[in-house]
């Protein structure tokens, strides 16, 4: 191997190697790394994870040199590991060309984000955390080639190193085809050694990027066993050596350098890796399910987003979405999705976005996006010949995509998600590329109506303003209205004010982060997380009058940690539909279908009836005109009534006067009806109203009457007057016409 850069003498290199060998050979101490090496051999691995904290405890000087002078020290460390493996198992040491060291633990000031990775960290070991945005293909890279010369019957061996390896001086990258005497060489591919090589790009996490600035990114080189450990969308911590590569322009090395991170350890930070279950947790979940078997659905729905008041049905729907349906892969290869899609549409300020935020923090894998800032490719995926860039829906495979401001998207971009929502995949067919990417995700979308607020005088379809083909892919559609109800408003305002007044007991006054830090913790392991796992899982949250309200003492709220674990465990169970349930669903489905069919039939019948009545009315109008011409008496009566209304002979029109109607009555009419009409006239005059109740009218006309009217007589008289269009009776109220 070439002499290391920086002028480390062989003696110093041997001394460093001896120090690292003493550190690894800890059989007389706690035998931590002795057992770790044996585990590595039994698992057929070639990378040993070493905690920098253990090295710092045993040999602080060597730990500091390792962090600040990474290349030379890592070569010595890896040689020491190979010697140690050879002493434990000599045959295993010959199987691998190199053994690698992976570092973890507390890196202090060298725990950075892509934004804070500056020139002062060059040739140091750093820990960078971010989100993977691009992954290249895995390609083989030659490490050692063997060539055979048929003319001289000799074999030539050559090793290759470049700027991404730890060696200080890269070898020539020219692949030999002839020897010194110009004899052709044949490559022995079976004896040559290759290693896997992949480059990824990690970007700083969007929530940690400063406002108003684009997130920064850094390229990472992964070799051998680290390739394909991550995919786009994963949140990771990468421990590696920061190095600069000289850039060439026109054959000359320019003054600006491209920097890369040569990884030695990659650790996942994604949420779906975090929930750890103990047997006690699963036992608690089972006990909770049995004890609350009758109202468990209501209990969990109430505990979903407890900071939001009301919306019981929507919370139940979101709980169903988090639990998910059962996916079916049929024998012919077609897939029936088990993901539930929900659309929330309604007025502003009804907590649509807050419900989305809760799902983001609860779901095992959830990706947020907004309608205006998302393109069709940004939601699905873009594939080029060398690398794949995943969109939000591909990143959220087996998770939830939360799309806010869904109505602000353009129609062209919105059509990109049609296939994803039904088939659960993104198909890309371009010249030379045919890709099919899985995106089996649930969609939770929030949108405002077309007119900003929901217009109750327009149909729901006019308010929503989305295509029918897209709406049919949403299983549940909720219209959320901001209704003005004093009682409801009082409850909401009380709830919101209690939320703002409450402070967590663990919250410290003036608790500040370290100055200039772009990361939350300065180590690869979160000590608080380990403590949380050791603590007992709390099923219910402790009741607090300020947080939950004094009137809701009996309503227990399930804790968020328990809810997260419960959903994880429930998703693993595949429920089976009983025959009774299947029959019930089939009957209900057919009833709903027949009901909608009946509604459309009724509408059709009503339309026909309306047309028939219109025709009948037109016919009756023509008949009336003919009758009026043949009956001058009728005409005379109409003239009299008109004269009375227009105030003929100086008299004003009296609406309570039934005398003209009495003149037109047949002579055989009973005197009782005349008396009733006179009494009713007095009632209307005394009440000074156009309507009077039947009960009050009976009391008034029978008060001083020696011969009171019976109810039957009154009803007959009212029917007569109604036929003459003098009054109208509805719900025992008499209206004067």
């Amino acid at each position: 191997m070439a002499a290391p850069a920086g002028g480390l003498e062989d003696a110093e290199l041997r001394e460093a190697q001896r120090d690292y060998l003493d550190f690894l050979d800890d059989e007389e101490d706690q035998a931590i790394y002795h057992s770790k090496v044996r585990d590595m051999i039994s698992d057929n691995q070639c990378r040993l994870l070493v905690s920098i904290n253990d090295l710092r405890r045993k040999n602080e000087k060597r730990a500091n040199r390792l962090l600040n002078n990474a290349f030379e020290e890592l070569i010595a460390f890896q040689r020491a590991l190979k010697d140690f493996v050879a002493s434990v198992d000599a045959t295993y040491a010959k199987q691998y060309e190199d053994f690698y060291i992976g570092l973890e633990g507390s890196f202090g000031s060298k725990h950075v984000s892509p934004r804070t990775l500056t020139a002062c960290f060059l040739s140091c070991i750093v820990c960078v955390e971010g989100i993977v945005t691009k992954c290249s293909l895995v390609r083989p890279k030659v490490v050692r080639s063997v060539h055979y010369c048929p003319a001289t019957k000799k074999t030539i061996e050559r090793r290759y190193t470049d700027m991404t390896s730890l060696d200080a001086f890269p070898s020539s990258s020219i692949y030999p085809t002839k020897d010194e005497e110009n004899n052709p060489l044949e490559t022995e591919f079976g004896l040559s050694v290759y290693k896997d090589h992949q480059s990824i790009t990690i970007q700083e996490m969007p929530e940690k990027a400063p406002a108003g600035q684009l997130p920064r990114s850094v390229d990472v080189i992964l070799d051998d066993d680290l390739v394909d450990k991550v995919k786009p969308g994963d949140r990771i911590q990468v421990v590696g050596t920061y190095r600069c590569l000289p850039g060439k322009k026109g054959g000359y090395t320019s003054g600006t350098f491209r920097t890369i991170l040569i990884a030695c350890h990659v650790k996942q930070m994604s949420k779906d890796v975090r929930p750890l279950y103990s047997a006690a947790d699963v036992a608690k979940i089972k006990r909770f399910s049995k004890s609350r078997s009758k109202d468990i659905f209501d209990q969990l729905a109430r505990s979903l987003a407890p900071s939001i008041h009301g919306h019981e049905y929507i919370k139940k729907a979101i709980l169903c979405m988090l639990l998910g349906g059962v996916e079916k892969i049929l024998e012919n290869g077609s897939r029936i999705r088990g993901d539930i899609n929900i659309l929330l549409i309604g007025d502003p300020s009804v907590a649509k976005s807050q419900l989305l935020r809760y799902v983001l923090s609860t779901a095992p894998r959830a990706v947020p996006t907004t309608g205006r800032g998302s393109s069709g490719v940004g939601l699905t995926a873009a594939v080029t010949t060398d690398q794949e860039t995943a969109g939000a829906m591909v990143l959220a495979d087996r998770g939830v995509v939360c799309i806010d401001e869904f109505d602000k998207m353009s129609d062209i971009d919105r059509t990109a998600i049609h296939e994803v929502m039904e088939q659960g995949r993104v198909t890309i067919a371009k010249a030379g590329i045919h890709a099919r990417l899985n995106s089996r995700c649930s969609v939770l979308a929030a949108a405002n109506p077309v007119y900003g607020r929901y217009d109750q005088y327009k149909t729901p379809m006019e308010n929503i303003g989305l295509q029918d083909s897209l709406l049919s892919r949403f299983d549940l559609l909720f219209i959320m209205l901001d209704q003005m109800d004093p009682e409801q408003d009082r409850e909401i305002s009380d709830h919101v004010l209690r939320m703002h007044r409450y402070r967590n007991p663990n919250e410290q006054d003036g608790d500040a982060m370290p100055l200039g830090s772009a990361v939350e913790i300065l180590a690869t392991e979160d000590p608080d997380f380990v403590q949380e796992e050791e603590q007992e899982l709390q099923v219910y949250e402790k009741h607090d009058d300020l947080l939950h309200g004094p009137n809701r003492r009996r309503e227990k709220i399930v804790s968020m940690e328990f809810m997260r674990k419960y959903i994880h465990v429930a998703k693993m169970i595949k429920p089976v539909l009983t025959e009774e349930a299947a029959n019930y669903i089939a009957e209900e489905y057919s009833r709903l279908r027949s009901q909608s069919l009946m509604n459309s039939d009724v509408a059709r019948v009503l339309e026909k009836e309306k047309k028939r009545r219109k025709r009948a009315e037109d016919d009756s109008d023509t008949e009336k005109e003919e009758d009026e011409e043949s009956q001058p008496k009728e005409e005379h009566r109409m003239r009299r009534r008109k004269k009375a209304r227009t105030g003929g002979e100086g008299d004003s029109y009296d609406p309570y006067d039934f005398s003209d109607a009495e003149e037109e009555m047949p002579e055989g009419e009973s005197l009782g009806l005349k008396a009733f009409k006179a009494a009713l006239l007095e009632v209307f005059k005394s009440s000074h109203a156009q309507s009077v109740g039947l009960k009050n009218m009976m009391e008034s006309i029978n008060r001083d009457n020696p011969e009171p009217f019976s109810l039957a007589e009154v009803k007959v008289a009212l029917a007569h007057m109604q036929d003459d269009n003098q009054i109208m009776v509805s719900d025992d109220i008499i209206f004067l016409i």
Side-chain angles (χ1 to χ4, degrees):
M1 192 175 281
L8 253 187
E9 300 295 334
D10 285 344
E12 288 185 20
L13 186 65
R14 280 198 296 273
E15 185 194 344
Q17 200 169 324
R18 197 162 46 249
D19 285 348
Y20 289 125
L21 194 58
D22 290 344
F23 169 72
L24 291 171
D25 193 3
D26 59 352
E27 196 170 8
E28 294 175 2
D29 192 7
Q30 294 177 334
I32 297 171
Y33 288 97
H34 203 278
S35 59
K36 275 190 175 184
V37 169
R38 289 195 174 280
D39 291 343
M40 181 185 79
I41 293 170
S42 63
D43 293 342
N44 202 20
Q45 299 288 324
C46 63
R47 189 176 298 272
L48 178 72
L49 268 184
V50 174
S51 173
I52 197 77
N53 301 342
D54 296 338
L55 182 62
R56 200 180 280 123
R57 205 175 296 120
K58 200 166 185 181
N59 191 337
E60 191 176 350
K61 176 190 164 193
R62 192 53 64 192
N64 289 336
R65 294 194 65 168
L66 174 63
L67 287 175
N68 295 312
N69 195 8
F71 291 100
E72 297 87 341
E73 295 289 324
L74 269 178
I75 289 170
F77 208 159
Q78 290 181 1
R79 283 185 185 175
L81 176 61
K82 186 156 189 177
D83 292 348
F84 186 60
V85 171
S87 68
V88 175
D89 190 338
T91 55
Y92 186 77
K94 292 175 184 174
Q95 287 181 25
Y96 288 95
E97 190 81 14
D98 288 310
F99 285 89
Y100 302 103
I101 293 287
L103 294 171
E104 61 180 1
S106 178
F107 290 89
S109 62
K110 291 184 171 58
H111 193 112
V112 291
S113 72
R115 183 175 294 275
T116 52
L117 197 60
T118 52
C120 63
F121 294 110
L122 284 171
S123 78
C124 296
I125 284 184
V126 292
C127 178
V128 182
E129 58 183 51
I131 186 165
V132 181
T133 55
K134 288 182 183 176
C135 286
S136 74
L137 300 177
V138 178
R139 299 187 182 280
K141 181 188 271 193
V142 65
V143 177
R144 188 184 76 211
S145 64
V146 177
H147 307 273
Y148 172 68
C149 180
T152 59
K153 302 283 192 291
K154 288 182 181 176
T155 55
I156 300 169
E157 182 181 301
R158 181 169 289 193
R159 287 176 173 273
Y160 301 89
T161 55
D162 61 2
M163 292 298 284
T164 63
S165 58
L166 295 175
D167 294 27
F169 299 113
S171 66
S172 170
S173 59
I174 301 167
Y175 201 70
T177 55
K178 293 180 180 180
D179 65 0
E180 294 88 349
E181 298 168 3
N182 267 355
N183 294 319
L185 295 175
E186 294 176 358
T187 304
E188 295 287 345
F189 289 102
L191 298 174
S192 301
V193 178
Y194 299 88
K195 66 177 179 180
D196 290 326
H197 178 82
Q198 185 185 25
S199 66
I200 64 170
T201 303
I202 62 171
Q203 194 180 75
E204 68 178 319
M205 296 182 197
E207 62 268 20
K208 291 176 185 168
Q213 295 186 34
L214 290 173
R216 304 270 173 88
S217 56
V218 63
D219 292 332
V220 182
I221 302 292
L222 304 177
D223 284 330
D224 270 340
D225 56 325
L226 293 178
V227 299
D228 268 350
K229 280 279 185 73
V230 295
K231 58 183 184 298
D234 287 344
R235 289 160 182 259
I236 60 169
Q237 286 179 335
V238 181
V239 180
T241 317
Y242 193 45
R243 181 167 221 174
C244 61
L245 305 179
K248 284 190 177 181
K249 283 185 181 177
Y252 295 96
T253 304
S254 66
T256 55
F257 287 70
R258 175 173 165 254
T259 55
I260 56 166
L261 192 67
I262 302 164
C264 66
H265 177 49
V266 176
K267 182 174 180 290
Q268 290 262 11
M269 293 172 63
S270 295
K271 283 185 287 183
D272 48 351
V273 180
R274 297 205 77 165
L276 300 172
Y277 301 108
S278 62
D281 291 348
V282 177
K284 276 187 177 180
I285 288 168
K286 285 184 176 176
R287 203 179 310 123
F288 174 78
S289 304
K290 286 177 182 172
S291 63
R292 306 300 299 255
S293 57
K294 287 185 180 178
D295 64 337
I296 188 164
F297 187 55
D298 296 330
Q299 172 77 44
L300 289 170
R302 260 201 315 273
S303 307
L304 200 85
S307 61
I308 298 168
H309 184 270
H311 299 315
E312 286 84 5
Y313 276 105
I314 296 170
K315 288 182 180 180
K316 286 179 181 178
I318 289 174
L319 180 61
C320 289
M321 184 196 72
L322 289 172
L323 292 169
V326 179
E327 185 184 29
K328 290 275 191 300
I329 307 290
L330 303 180
E331 291 176 1
N332 60 1
S334 60
R335 172 182 175 270
I336 299 172
R337 66 179 168 91
D339 310 302
I340 298 168
N341 301 321
I342 299 176
L343 175 64
L344 308 176
I345 191 158
D347 299 334
S349 75
V350 286
K352 296 191 296 292
S353 298
Q354 292 301 320
L355 286 166
L356 265 63
R357 292 281 164 275
Y358 181 83
V359 171
L360 286 175
S361 60
T362 309
R365 169 170 281 190
V367 175
T369 179
T370 57
R372 198 73 212 104
S374 301
S375 64
V377 168
L379 281 172
T380 52
V383 175
T384 56
T385 48
D386 184 46
Q387 61 192 16
E388 123 190 359
T389 305
M393 290 186 145
V394 177
L395 298 184
D397 187 30
R398 299 288 185 202
V400 182
V401 174
C402 297
I403 307 176
D404 208 353
E405 310 293 348
F406 191 61
D407 54 310
K408 311 295 186 297
M409 287 174 66
S410 67
D411 289 338
I412 299 167
D413 295 333
R414 212 183 280 127
T415 50
I417 66 174
H418 276 66
E419 182 194 15
V420 176
M421 289 178 69
E422 198 55 56
Q423 310 302 330
R425 61 169 185 252
V426 180
T427 308
I428 293 171
K430 293 184 178 178
I433 305 167
H434 190 88
R436 184 177 289 176
L437 306 173
N438 282 331
S439 55
R440 297 154 295 188
C441 57
S442 301
V443 176
L444 176 61
N448 291 115
V450 176
Y451 309 100
R453 291 183 71 85
Y454 194 86
D455 188 348
Q456 298 187 357
Y457 299 103
K458 288 187 167 53
T459 62
M461 295 306 293
E462 288 175 348
N463 272 291
I464 293 166
L466 297 177
Q467 303 157 333
D468 290 354
S469 57
L470 188 62
L471 285 179
S472 67
R473 283 162 169 76
F474 284 105
D475 306 293
L476 296 167
L477 197 150
F478 290 98
I479 293 172
M480 304 166 75
L481 300 178
D482 185 10
Q483 291 173 326
M484 295 176 190
D485 177 14
E487 193 61 36
Q488 184 81 358
D489 292 347
R490 196 174 293 113
E491 286 180 16
I492 291 172
S493 57
D494 177 54
H495 180 84
V496 171
L497 287 169
R498 273 192 287 102
M499 287 288 138
H500 283 282
R501 286 168 59 206
Y502 175 75
R503 286 187 70 182
N504 195 335
N506 299 329
E507 186 183 325
Q508 296 179 11
D509 287 335
D511 191 13
M513 284 293 293
L515 284 172
S517 175
V519 291
E520 289 174 1
I521 50 167
L522 298 175
T524 53
E525 291 290 336
D526 185 358
D528 295 337
F529 176 62
V530 178
Q531 288 173 12
E532 281 173 21
E533 292 304 326
E534 289 171 358
Q535 286 175 1
E536 193 179 355
L537 178 66
Q538 295 292 327
V539 178
Y540 296 107
E541 282 187 4
K542 189 178 177 184
H543 183 84
D544 187 293
D545 280 351
L546 188 59
L547 181 63
H548 303 114
N551 303 327
R552 301 179 67 181
R553 190 171 285 276
R554 289 186 181 179
E555 292 181 15
K556 291 185 176 180
I557 301 291
V558 175
S559 69
M560 195 166 173
E561 190 60 36
F562 179 81
M563 174 84 82
R564 196 177 288 140
K565 291 190 177 184
Y566 185 92
I567 288 169
H568 271 267
V569 173
K571 284 186 90 161
M572 295 175 195
I573 299 165
K574 299 292 180 199
V576 180
L577 209 61
T578 60
E579 195 173 342
E580 292 173 25
N583 292 337
Y584 179 77
I585 291 169
E587 285 172 15
E588 195 67 19
Y589 176 72
S590 62
R591 188 183 67 78
L592 283 169
R593 294 281 291 181
S594 61
Q595 189 177 344
S596 63
L597 180 69
M598 190 174 70
N599 286 346
S600 62
D601 288 348
V602 165
R604 213 174 293 123
V605 168
L606 285 173
E607 192 66 34
K608 284 182 181 176
E609 184 68 22
K610 202 184 285 179
K611 287 179 181 175
R612 192 184 62 74
R613 278 188 181 176
K614 199 173 180 183
R615 277 201 301 270
E617 282 174 8
D618 292 344
D619 293 345
S620 64
D621 285 346
T622 54
E623 285 174 11
K624 276 183 183 176
E625 286 171 10
E626 291 170 4
D627 289 348
E628 282 175 5
E629 288 171 6
S630 61
Q631 292 180 1
K633 187 181 177 183
E634 189 76 11
E635 193 180 331
H636 174 68
R637 189 202 322 160
M638 291 295 288
R639 201 181 296 122
R640 272 181 61 88
R641 188 176 293 177
K642 190 175 179 183
K643 186 180 177 184
R645 286 185 182 171
T646 52
E649 298 175 1
D651 294 335
S652 62
Y653 167 64
D654 187 359
Y656 305 117
D657 189 11
F658 299 133
S659 57
D660 58 340
E662 285 169 18
E663 287 178 17
E664 298 150 14
M665 287 177 197
E667 291 178 8
E669 187 178 18
S670 64
L671 294 170
L673 183 57
K674 286 184 182 179
F676 173 75
K677 284 183 179 181
L680 183 59
L681 178 62
E682 287 301 320
V683 171
F684 274 119
K685 280 186 175 177
S686 61
S687 63
H688 298 289
Q690 292 285 318
S691 62
V692 67
L694 182 64
K695 194 176 177 184
N696 293 341
M697 187 268 293
M698 289 285 290
E699 288 174 1
S700 300
I701 61 174
N702 291 332
R703 190 174 295 139
D704 300 323
N705 195 353
E707 295 178 4
F709 294 99
S710 68
L711 186 61
E713 288 175 339
V714 167
K715 285 193 174 177
V716 171
L718 289 174
H720 268 289
M721 293 180 73
Q722 203 166 354
D723 290 342
D724 290 338
N725 282 340
Q726 294 172 344
I727 58 163
M728 184 181 81
V729 182
S730 175
D731 294 336
D732 289 344
I733 297 173
I734 303 153
F735 297 92
L736 181 65
I737 298 176

